[in-house]
Amino acid sequence: MVGGLNKLLFQEAKKYIPAGVNSPVRAFKAVGGIPLFIKKAKGSKIYDVENNSYIDYCMSWGALILGHVHPLVIKQVKNVIIKGTSFGAPTKIETDLAKQICKAFPSIEKIRFVNSGTEATMSAIRLARGYTGKNKIIKFAGCYHGHADYLLVQAGSGLTTFRSMFNVQRSMSLGVPKDFIKHTIVLPYNDLNAVKKVVKKYQKYIACIIVEPVAANMGVVLPKEDFLKGLREICNQYKIVLIFDEVITGFRLAYGGAQEFFKLNADLTCLGKIIGGGFPIGAFGGKKEIMRLLAPDGAVYQAGTLSGNPVGVNAGFATLKILQNRNIYKRLEEKTNVLCSGIIENAKKTGVNIFVNRIGSMFTVFFIDKKEVHNYQRALKSNTQQYKKFFHKMLEEKIYFPPSQFEASFLSVAHTEKDIEKTIKVSYDVFRKI
Ligand SMILES: *Cc1c(COP(=O)(O)O)cnc(C)c1O
């Protein structure tokens, strides 16, 4: 039963760690209750300290596309870890991984590794500003690009819950001076006309447009046909740097990320999550012409003590090697489609209003009575009370969905047909109860 040892550990954690967690959404504030304290994991399952096993649709927020503890990844990590964990000097494997990523993304000619997605977006934006000599950036409401000051404006992910809790205005966080966000222009996702208008007006000042090519931090929200293409055209026309934040979509939607999926090229790309194979990593890369401005070749500074550390880079390399088998993406898509179709059918049968956005192996079940969720404003109309009930009833049945309506669910290679059948079956009973 959840409430025994999990509860004790949570109480203890809260004494020493704010809210007991090292990243906000983990605290279950959006759904209430006590977070699971995880002891171990394998394949599609996580095990809490009370020895319950759960089918995991969170998968470390999308990082673990191969499932937990994939034997080949673990083997490679074990082999390198005994030879040293950090040298603060270059290693061959960094070039190997860089080469592999450059091959996967034709738009990435050069790449640099950092320690998190947050660092990747921060550095990409600094680089875009350095390259263009301009200050303003355009981002889209509901897109999350890590927690740099000037990106915490109408950002998704944990901030969606957080803001309503504290009624924080303008920036979504205290501690961010207004001056720091005055160069951030926020526009509605999927609204190309809004972009055109703003770009015309501020063209002399805009360094870059940063976008999640598929938004996954307000729940999954798909780009409308021509939205991304339109951004590409506007950026070409006005010489604005187009940054795709592919921290989630990279190696998730397709091996070559959203850029392969939608047949488009960004100028700079941010990566993270999957490319670390479960270890802390991030990366940003793009055109040589832009990347050559990076220190020490150029005058845009960026650095990191543990950047490109051999453990994460090896785990990422092993992961990408497996993902090169393109059949993986087809299978993932099929499995996810079966799961989502089953859930949709059961909602219909039981008269629960949901709308599911799915692409490839990522999806969100929105509890909403609308026929479309295409931007942040719409996503916020979701019935979060109903999601809360759904989340806890599923959890009782040992199925772990992300603990917030505004996060993506993910499938991995390790999810079995049996997992999916069980989830669909349970969803019927759960929908009936809520
Ligand atoms: C997770 C995420 C980030 C931030 O990455 P961290 O490693 O958590 O700093 C940035 N952008 C997107 C799209 C993400 O999903």
Side-chain angles (χ1 to χ4, degrees):
M1 192 197 79
V2 179
L5 189 51
N6 283 299
K7 191 174 176 182
L8 275 175
L9 292 183
F10 190 40
Q11 280 164 351
E12 190 69 4
K14 283 196 283 192
K15 286 185 202 161
Y16 302 100
I17 302 171
V21 293
N22 287 305
S23 194
V25 184
R26 294 181 201 170
F28 276 28
K29 293 257 184 197
V31 289
I34 294 142
L36 306 180
F37 276 65
I38 306 302
K39 186 169 66 174
K40 61 173 189 180
K42 183 112 182 60
S44 61
K45 309 279 191 322
I46 48 174
Y47 297 77
D48 72 2
V49 287
E50 294 172 30
N51 290 320
N52 300 302
S53 81
Y54 300 83
I55 303 171
D56 182 10
Y57 289 109
C58 195
M59 301 313 288
S60 192
W61 308 99
L64 297 170
I65 192 168
L66 299 178
H68 295 279
V69 198
H70 189 284
L72 294 179
V73 178
I74 297 303
K75 190 172 151 208
Q76 182 148 345
V77 168
K78 271 187 178 164
N79 283 339
V80 302
I81 211 163
I82 52 173
K83 295 182 195 152
T85 52
S86 178
F87 312 114
T91 56
K92 176 178 176 290
I93 190 76
E94 290 163 76
T95 310
D96 294 341
L97 182 60
K99 221 192 260 180
Q100 219 171 5
I101 294 174
C102 290
K103 255 194 218 155
F105 287 76
S107 74
I108 304 181
E109 294 175 324
K110 286 197 173 170
I111 186 161
R112 186 166 274 174
F113 294 108
V114 291
N115 300 298
S116 67
T118 295
E119 275 185 66
T121 56
M122 273 171 56
S123 308
I125 284 173
R126 183 179 302 145
L127 189 55
R129 283 172 163 163
Y131 175 71
T132 56
K134 296 173 182 177
N135 288 335
K136 292 208 180 295
I137 64 173
I138 292 177
K139 82 172 278 289
F140 297 94
C143 283
Y144 177 70
H145 305 291
H147 59 87
D149 283 340
Y150 49 87
L151 288 168
L152 292 182
V153 192
Q154 293 195 45
S157 190
L159 291 141
T160 304
T161 325
F162 181 83
R163 190 172 79 139
S164 51
M165 279 165 58
F166 293 99
N167 194 23
V168 177
Q169 297 299 321
R170 288 190 56 93
S171 166
M172 301 180 90
S173 167
L174 288 181
V176 178
K178 268 190 198 160
D179 281 351
F180 288 20
I181 56 173
K182 72 179 180 197
H183 293 304
T184 305
I185 300 169
V186 185
L187 299 175
Y189 197 77
N190 272 325
D191 189 343
L192 210 49
N193 280 331
V195 180
K196 281 181 191 158
K197 253 193 226 159
V198 160
V199 167
K200 257 194 200 133
K201 188 161 168 204
Y202 294 107
Q203 50 178 293
K204 274 193 278 191
Y205 310 103
I206 298 173
C208 63
I209 297 179
I210 185 166
V211 64
E212 285 184 78
V214 170
N217 287 288
M218 47 178 146
V220 171
V221 170
L222 313 191
K224 283 192 178 164
E225 178 139 17
D226 291 343
F227 176 60
L228 299 173
K229 208 168 126 232
L231 293 181
R232 180 65 278 176
E233 282 161 9
I234 290 167
C235 287
N236 288 347
Q237 189 183 345
Y238 293 95
K239 303 224 167 359
I240 294 168
V241 177
L242 180 60
I243 305 175
F244 273 12
D245 180 350
E246 295 226 39
V247 170
I248 282 187
T249 54
F251 298 97
R252 163 66 61 181
L253 274 191
Y255 187 71
Q259 294 175 62
E260 177 184 321
F261 196 93
F262 296 113
K263 302 189 176 64
L264 272 173
N265 283 333
D267 298 317
L268 290 176
T269 302
C270 301
L271 295 166
K273 299 195 169 109
I274 288 176
I275 63 159
F279 288 85
I281 208 169
F284 63 104
K287 288 183 179 164
K288 266 189 218 158
E289 181 195 328
I290 306 177
M291 294 300 284
R292 74 182 172 79
L293 283 181
L294 214 52
D297 278 348
V300 175
Y301 197 71
Q302 184 278 326
T305 303
L306 292 175
S307 290
N309 110 69
V311 185
V313 169
N314 269 284
F317 187 78
T319 301
L320 266 45
K321 213 160 119 189
I322 296 163
L323 291 176
Q324 274 170 11
N325 174 0
R326 303 294 181 106
N327 285 333
I328 283 180
Y329 290 96
K330 210 169 140 247
R331 272 292 296 138
L332 270 173
E333 152 122 54
E334 284 164 4
K335 278 195 289 192
T336 315
N337 191 24
V338 169
L339 175 62
C340 289
S341 305
I343 290 175
I344 291 167
E345 202 181 301
N346 284 339
K348 253 190 211 136
K349 278 191 206 153
T350 51
V352 176
N353 287 325
I354 62 165
F355 185 81
V356 177
N357 274 338
R358 179 193 70 80
I359 185 165
S361 54
M362 52 201 269
F363 67 97
T364 294
V365 179
F366 288 99
F367 287 82
I368 198 165
D369 55 5
K370 305 272 194 261
K371 295 283 170 278
E372 188 187 41
V373 181
H374 60 289
N375 64 23
Y376 191 45
Q377 212 186 359
R378 179 61 63 86
L380 289 178
K381 297 224 184 317
S382 303
N383 184 339
T384 51
Q385 285 307 315
Q386 217 169 16
Y387 185 83
K388 191 171 161 173
K389 283 185 202 156
F390 169 79
F391 171 81
H392 280 292
K393 294 265 180 255
M394 293 302 276
L395 198 64
E396 276 170 28
E397 300 296 332
K398 306 289 182 281
I399 298 171
Y400 188 77
F401 271 89
S404 162
Q405 169 73 93
F406 306 106
E407 301 286 351
S409 299
F410 297 97
L411 259 75
S412 76
V413 168
H415 284 81
T416 62
E417 272 171 36
K418 221 172 115 196
D419 291 336
I420 289 161
E421 269 169 36
K422 178 179 169 185
T423 309
I424 294 173
K425 192 162 161 284
V426 166
S427 77
Y428 180 79
D429 300 329
V430 167
F431 283 143
R432 271 196 357 182
K433 286 181 201 153
I434 61 178

